[in-house]
Amino acid sequence: MSTGSADQNEHDRESGGPERGGPEADAVRAATVQRLERAMGELGTAAVARMESRLSWFRRMSAEDRSWVGLVAQSGVAAFVDWFKNPARGRPAITVEVFGTAPRELTRSVTLQQTVDMIRVVIDVVENQVEELAAPGGEQQLREAVLRYTREVAFSSAKVYARAAEARGAWDARLEALIVDALLHGDRDEGLQTWGSALRWSRTPVIAIAGYAGEDGESVLEDLRNAARRAGHDVLAGLQGDRVVVVLGVNDKDVRDDGVSGAVTEPLTELFGPGPVVVGPPVGELPRAGASVRAAVSGLRAAVGWPDAPRPALAEDLLPERALQGDPSARTQLVEEIYKPLRGAGSPLLDTLSVYLEHASSLESTARMLFVHPNTVRYRLSRIAELTGHMPADGRGSFVLRIAVTLGRLAESSEES
């Protein structure tokens, strides 16, 4: 044998086999394939057994999911043998040949990290048996093939989970928009609880926030979702034209005796586009959130009537504007919460308020018209503020009271006629 041939053989031994693509390499590969085909079943079984012993989360899975994982492992081994047998095929079709055997629901039971753990187990099983599986001289060839194949499996795993996450995100976004639309229009109440469960909704109370999207509505939606989830809230968000409606299940730490803390709404307000932002009243559960959504949207429409409204503004602070725009629930609330308590307290309070508003909020003029002392007027005005929560001497308060009294009288007139 020539020195050159001896050097070549020595090179082959050091590199683990003959040069790739040569006749001798093909012969070694064919012999290795035969060994692999005989050991396929044993490899798959050994991989599943190793998972049972090393992966605690695998032992906690349902029998059905474990069987699917076992099938994926078996398919992975079979696909590797087939790819190793035909090196001219190029990159293996991992997604179809391996993950195509499992249902899409498996991506919900097995996380990406757990998939990586499974791949490591299978690699260990195969690598530990390379000496027995490979034909003489083909150990390095098989070892390199395993590394290449597992790299493709890793990339394909990431692709499967990325696609699943993308599809799930798109489905969640469509479902969120559907729920927001149902809440706004007051229909499909019977399905809201089920839909909320599908989105893992669990927190109460629930509030709605309405504002405008600005130039990039989808970006605003995503920013609002991310900020709300980081704060620990459940969130639904929908884009309706240029309007954004967000429904929040509020984190317990942000609930106070007097309602939801401003710490919930103020950080989110900054993420809306230019224009007013209106917060609906809190409700006890998701199926009742329609009242909060409708109040917030009604307030958003009516906010143009109060240019100096705070941002965010409460829908209840916009009751006069909402009532003037034709919101029947706002009219009813003004009558029930302001006019009727005043009516029930007796005519002196209602008469004093009417005269006071008609005479430019003047104590002296009101006292003269009612033939009482100015201190009596002061006392009655303070009682009105206690009953209604609005100060007659305050510009905004007097406006709210005037609208409420007018609506109350119109309602009484309609009832009498």
Side-chain angles (χ1 to χ4, degrees):
M1 184 179 293
S2 68
T3 304
S5 299
D7 292 342
Q8 180 62 46
N9 291 337
E10 181 63 27
H11 171 76
D12 289 344
R13 284 193 296 273
E14 290 177 357
S15 62
E19 198 170 290
R20 187 179 305 168
E24 194 174 344
D26 292 341
V28 171
R29 180 184 296 272
T32 301
V33 168
Q34 290 180 355
R35 294 185 176 207
L36 288 171
E37 288 176 337
R38 288 195 298 268
M40 277 196 304
E42 295 177 3
L43 287 173
T45 303
V48 173
R50 184 74 63 87
M51 289 180 208
E52 293 237 9
S53 64
R54 289 178 53 179
L55 305 177
S56 58
W57 58 263
F58 181 77
R59 294 192 297 271
R60 292 194 297 268
M61 293 178 71
S62 67
E64 181 181 7
D65 284 342
R66 282 202 307 273
S67 68
W68 278 119
V69 171
L71 182 60
V72 170
Q74 295 277 7
S75 299
V77 172
F80 167 71
V81 173
D82 184 61
W83 172 76
F84 185 75
K85 183 179 181 179
N86 302 284
R89 287 173 49 191
R91 296 180 63 182
I94 304 291
T95 304
V96 176
E97 296 174 348
V98 179
F99 296 110
T101 61
R104 291 183 180 179
E105 291 77 8
L106 194 62
T107 57
R108 292 182 180 271
S109 302
V110 182
T111 66
L112 180 57
Q113 180 59 51
Q114 291 169 342
T115 302
V116 172
D117 292 341
M118 287 192 299
I119 293 171
R120 285 174 178 162
V121 169
V122 176
I123 293 172
D124 288 344
V125 169
V126 176
E127 284 189 330
N128 289 339
Q129 300 186 40
V130 164
E131 301 297 331
E132 294 80 14
L133 294 171
E139 293 84 356
Q140 187 65 22
Q141 187 184 58
L142 179 58
R143 193 171 284 112
E144 289 179 359
V146 170
L147 291 176
R148 287 182 58 200
Y149 192 79
T150 51
R151 182 187 64 184
E152 295 298 330
V153 170
F155 285 138
S156 296
S157 300
K159 186 182 296 184
V160 167
Y161 278 87
R163 286 177 179 172
E166 184 177 342
R168 188 157 55 244
W171 182 86
D172 286 352
R174 288 194 295 271
L175 183 56
E176 285 183 28
L178 181 63
I179 294 174
V180 170
D181 186 69
L183 290 170
L184 178 60
H185 295 97
D187 56 3
R188 304 175 188 169
D189 288 344
E190 69 282 356
L192 289 174
Q193 197 69 50
T194 302
W195 293 344
S197 298
L199 293 171
R200 299 178 179 84
W201 188 281
S202 62
R203 299 188 183 277
T204 57
V206 181
I207 61 170
I209 309 175
Y212 292 106
E215 296 180 358
D216 191 352
E218 292 299 332
S219 177
V220 169
L221 272 185
E222 194 59 28
D223 290 344
L224 285 166
R225 288 191 186 104
N226 292 337
R229 286 168 183 153
R230 283 196 301 270
H233 310 308
D234 290 335
V235 59
L236 303 172
L239 188 63
Q240 301 170 336
D242 63 343
R243 182 175 65 210
V244 177
V245 179
V246 178
V247 182
L248 293 180
V250 180
N251 193 334
D252 293 341
K253 69 181 179 64
D254 294 309
V255 179
R256 306 180 309 197
D257 293 339
D258 58 346
V260 175
S261 167
V264 175
T265 56
E266 289 171 5
L268 298 179
T269 298
E270 301 172 0
L271 302 176
F272 283 88
V277 175
V278 180
V279 181
V283 297
E285 55 184 352
L286 181 61
R288 294 169 52 198
S292 184
V293 171
R294 290 189 289 274
V297 171
S298 173
L300 186 65
R301 293 195 190 105
V304 66
W306 186 14
D308 296 327
R311 190 176 190 265
L314 298 179
E316 293 190 347
D317 291 341
L318 286 155
L319 284 174
E321 289 79 10
R322 290 166 54 196
L324 291 172
Q325 199 178 49
D327 183 346
S329 64
R331 292 183 176 185
T332 299
Q333 192 171 345
L334 286 170
V335 172
E336 294 293 331
E337 295 182 1
I338 296 179
Y339 180 75
K340 286 189 176 180
L342 290 175
R343 197 87 170 91
S347 58
L349 288 187
L350 196 54
D351 291 344
T352 299
L353 177 61
S354 299
V355 173
Y356 182 77
L357 294 176
E358 290 297 330
H359 287 79
S361 303
S362 169
L363 280 173
E364 291 74 13
S365 298
T366 303
R368 284 195 301 270
M369 290 296 297
L370 295 174
F371 301 102
V372 295
H373 194 276
N375 285 341
T376 302
V377 176
R378 287 192 183 92
Y379 171 75
R380 292 177 180 175
L381 293 178
S382 66
R383 285 283 296 131
I384 291 168
E386 290 175 6
L387 281 172
T388 66
H390 298 280
M391 293 287 295
D394 176 72
R396 180 67 186 175
S398 65
F399 174 67
V400 174
L401 291 166
R402 183 185 291 274
I403 297 297
V405 170
T406 302
L407 290 172
R409 287 173 174 160
L410 289 172
E412 281 187 347
S413 174
S414 297
E415 290 174 3
E416 291 173 359
S417 61

